[in-house]
Amino acid sequence: MSDPQNNSNRKANCTALACAALVAGMTGLAFASVPLYDAFCKATGFDGTPIQGVRRSAAAPSVDDSMVVRFDTNVGGGLPWSFKAETRKVEARLGETTTVFFRATNTGPTPSTGIATFNVQPGLMGGYFVKVECFCFKEQTLQPGETMDFPVVFYIDPAMRQDSNTSHLSEMILSYTYFPSKNGAPATAALATGGEAGKKSNF
């Protein structure tokens, strides 16, 4: 005859293992959800996230139409940087590659590391604003007083004129915010826990 005590122990062990596996699976899913969501947004332009694209050749088709792209730059609390675009706005021809430089300077007394997030408004333009090269989501460490220039290369898909939701638009905003970097991710929590308020440093 089997020992009831042994059977009970085996059942308890199986239950514990099942619970541990469930917790591990949920933890893995939580960690995976952030990059998966980010990849989804970059592929679809969801929620104002510019699509990640490839550089178009000089012979790539463009149209005799353009949009004004305005630039908004901000610095999150806890990062002693100044940050601005080289120009307030550009008139970008649809389908044509445009390059704009952004400048960041560490105004603090010690080295600091920042990481930038971005967004476009109106959000529906996220599906037509194609980012070829960008400094966003890349850690940058600046020494005290050091200045660095970062390029952003993009084009606006002419197909936006065939979309009834965007066909009437003549302007859009590309917004960047630099945050302190924590474990390779933006430390945005500092703003929600009493940290220094975000500083706008557009121009």
Side-chain angles (χ1 to χ4, degrees):
M1 286 182 63
S2 61
D3 187 346
Q5 182 64 35
N6 287 339
N7 288 338
S8 178
N9 288 340
R10 280 197 294 271
K11 289 180 180 179
N13 289 339
C14 287
T15 300
L17 287 173
C19 289
L22 179 61
V23 169
M26 292 178 68
T27 301
L29 181 60
F31 278 104
S33 64
V34 173
L36 286 174
Y37 178 79
D38 184 50
F40 168 76
C41 290
K42 289 178 180 177
T44 63
F46 178 72
D47 198 27
T49 301
I51 290 177
Q52 185 71 46
V54 296
R55 186 181 297 272
R56 298 172 73 126
S57 69
S62 61
V63 298
D64 189 18
D65 192 0
S66 62
M67 279 195 73
V68 173
V69 182
R70 298 184 181 275
F71 303 107
D72 174 60
T73 54
N74 307 274
V75 180
L79 188 66
W81 287 17
S82 67
F83 175 50
K84 62 183 180 180
E86 65 177 349
T87 182
R88 291 174 178 267
K89 63 183 180 180
V90 296
E91 187 167 353
R93 190 173 180 181
L94 301 189
E96 190 170 274
T97 300
T98 301
T99 301
V100 176
F101 283 87
F102 290 74
R103 173 167 292 186
T105 301
N106 179 2
T107 60
T110 59
S112 53
T113 301
I115 191 166
T117 63
F118 62 93
N119 195 262
V120 299
Q121 293 298 327
L124 290 171
M125 280 299 299
Y128 300 104
F129 187 87
V130 185
K131 186 166 50 69
V132 177
E133 182 179 345
C134 182
F135 55 87
C136 47
F137 296 113
K138 298 175 184 176
E139 282 189 318
Q140 307 289 346
T141 299
L142 298 181
Q143 300 301 313
E146 183 180 7
T147 295
M148 291 186 69
D149 291 328
F150 309 112
V152 172
V153 183
F154 67 89
Y155 66 88
I156 300 172
D157 192 336
M160 63 158 290
R161 293 300 185 206
Q162 278 69 60
D163 185 337
S164 61
N165 294 308
T166 57
S167 60
H168 64 286
L169 297 175
S170 60
E171 295 190 3
M172 60 172 291
I173 298 173
L174 174 61
S175 180
Y176 285 97
T177 301
Y178 253 112
F179 291 99
S181 179
K182 183 175 182 181
N183 300 324
T188 55
L191 296 178
T193 56
E196 182 186 352
K199 299 168 290 185
K200 186 176 287 287
S201 57
N202 310 50
F203 319 109

